[in-house]
C-alpha cells in the first residue's frame, strides 16, 4: 500500500522545499485555514499553483496536505513561501469567532433555571 508523501523520493521532497526542513514560521498548524489572495502565476512551482487553486475557499492545512499527498511539514514550508509573498492569507479557526462573555452565559443559565 502506498503512503502519500512517505513513499516519495527524498530527492523530490528536498527539491520541493529547496532543501529546507522547517518553514521558519509557526503560523501554520493542522487546522489553520488558508485562503488564496492571488491567482497562480506562469512558471510558478506546480505545488504552489495547486495550493492557490485549492484554497479559493478556506481550507485547512491538513486538507491541503492530504489533497497534495505530501507530508504536512513539506506543505507548511510551501505555505510559508506563499504567505511571505502575499499570495495566501492564514487564520486559525478560533480567531474567526469570539466566544461569548462568561457573565452573559451565566445570566442565560440562571434565566433557564428560573423557567
Amino acid at each position: 500500500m502506498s503512503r502519500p508523501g512517505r513513499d516519495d523520493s527524498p530527492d523530490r521532497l528536498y527539491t520541493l522545499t529547496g532543501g529546507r526542513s522547517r518553514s521558519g514560521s509557526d503560523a501554520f498548524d493542522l487546522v489553520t485555514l488558508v485562503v488564496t489572495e492571488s491567482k497562480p502565476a506562469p512558471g510558478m512551482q506546480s505545488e504552489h499553483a495547486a495550493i492557490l487553486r485549492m484554497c479559493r475557499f478556506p481550507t485547512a492545512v491538513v486538507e491541503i496536505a492530504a489533497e497534495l499527498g505530501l507530508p504536512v511539514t513539506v506543505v507548511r514550508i510551501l505555505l510559508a513561501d506563499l504567505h511571505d509573498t502575499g499570495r495566501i492569507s492564514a487564520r486559525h479557526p478560533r480567531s474567526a469567532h469570539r466566544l461569548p462573555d462568561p457573565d452573559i452565559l451565566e445570566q442565560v443559565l440562571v434565566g433557564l433555571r428560573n423557567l
Side-chain angles (χ1 to χ4, degrees), residues 28 34 48 51 55 61 64 74-84 88:
F28 301 100
V34 176
H48 285 147
I51 291 169
C55 296
V61 171
I64 297 167
V74 171
V75 170
R76 289 177 67 193
I77 293 168
L78 298 173
L79 291 172
D81 293 344
L82 292 169
H83 191 261
D84 291 347
I88 61 168

Side-chain angles (χ1 to χ4, degrees), residues 36 38-46 48-54 87:
T36 299
S38 68
K39 294 181 180 181
M44 177 180 276
Q45 184 175 331
S46 62
H48 285 147
I51 291 169
L52 293 177
R53 285 191 298 274
M54 189 183 316
R87 294 187 178 276

Side-chain angles (χ1 to χ4, degrees), residues 8 12 34 42 48-49 56 62-63 66 69 77 83 88 94 96 100 105:
D8 288 335
R12 176 176 178 263
V34 176
H48 285 147
R56 286 178 272 176
V62 70
E63 293 177 78
I77 293 168
H83 191 261
I88 61 168
R94 285 184 294 206
L105 291 175

